[in-house]
């Protein structure tokens, strides 16, 4: 299996918000210990991206790598 990383801009995050939200929700529901607890719905997952990741990427203090 191969994997690749891609840097996401703030525009990329907004365009991919449904996929990013679904990915985070799936990880949490599969038992990933990444600081979230059940119940954890798609709205909470998307809020994480828009409230935490997006502002940091917009400020260019970090990049999201997916």
């Amino acid at each position: 299996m191969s994997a690749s990383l891609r840097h996401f801009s703030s525009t990329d995050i907004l365009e991919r918000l449904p996929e990013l939200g679904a990915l985070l929700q799936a990880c949490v529901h599969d038992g990933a210990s990444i600081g979230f607890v059940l119940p954890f719905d798609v709205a909470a997952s998307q809020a994480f991206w828009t409230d935490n990741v997006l502002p940091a990427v917009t400020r260019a203090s970090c990049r999201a790598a997916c």
Side-chain angles (χ1 to χ4, degrees), residues 18-30:
E19 293 94 345
L20 292 168
L23 175 63
L24 180 56
Q25 184 196 30
C27 291
V28 172
H29 279 264
D30 283 344

Side-chain angles (χ1 to χ4, degrees), residues 7-61:
H7 292 281
F8 274 36
S9 68
S10 55
T11 302
D12 294 327
I13 292 170
L14 289 171
E15 289 175 354
R16 305 277 177 125
L17 188 57
E19 293 94 345
L20 292 168
L23 175 63
L24 180 56
Q25 184 196 30
C27 291
V28 172
H29 279 264
D30 283 344
S33 178
I34 53 176
F36 302 99
V37 294
L38 296 175
F40 188 70
D41 61 15
V42 172
S45 179
Q46 289 183 355
F48 168 78
W49 287 100
T50 58
D51 297 345
N52 296 290
V53 177
L54 187 59
V57 171
T58 301
R59 287 190 312 269
S61 62

